[in-house]
Structure formats: structure tokens, C-alpha cells
Amino acid sequence: MSTADDTIAATLKLSRPAQRALAAAGIFTFADLAQWTRTAVAALHGVGPKSFVELDPAMKARGLDYKVP
């Protein structure tokens, strides 16, 4: 079962730059990601539109969403 504590790197096939950007920002789990706005995540160098193709459905599958600004 998918949970908020699943690690993003072990669960999704994100690009290396996106993985490094999330890790550098302290985002390791989906619960960590839910503490950020989608806009702030998109502003991280290395995270692009293709990353959200993976991140968005994975967040929804865990019953999570990005922080509302």
C-alpha cells in the first residue's frame, strides 16, 4: 500500500537532476513534498514539467496534495 512516508526516489523514476533538487531541498518523502506549494517545487532547479507527470499522480494515490499558498 502506498503511504505518505514512501520515499520519492525509491518509488518514482524521476530524472537525476530532479532527484538531486528535491533532496537538496530536504524533500525525501511524499509527506515532505506535501509541505511545499507546487509553485515552489517547480521553482527548484532541476524540477520541470516532466517531473510533475510522475509526482502529481503519486501524491493523489497517497491522498496528499501540495500545500495551498
Side-chain angles (χ1 to χ4, degrees):
M1 182 174 175
S2 300
T3 69
D5 292 325
D6 291 342
T7 59
I8 295 169
T11 308
L12 303 178
K13 299 255 186 215
L14 294 177
S15 69
R16 292 279 189 212
Q19 289 178 20
R20 286 192 299 266
L22 293 175
I27 303 171
F28 299 100
T29 67
F30 291 98
D32 295 336
L33 187 58
Q35 301 302 310
W36 286 64
T37 64
R38 194 174 190 278
T39 304
V41 175
L44 296 173
H45 182 73
V47 177
K50 189 173 178 183
S51 300
F52 290 104
V53 171
E54 297 286 330
L55 291 170
D56 292 348
M59 290 281 283
K60 297 262 186 272
R62 287 160 178 80
L64 299 172
D65 205 352
Y66 299 95
K67 182 178 173 182
V68 178

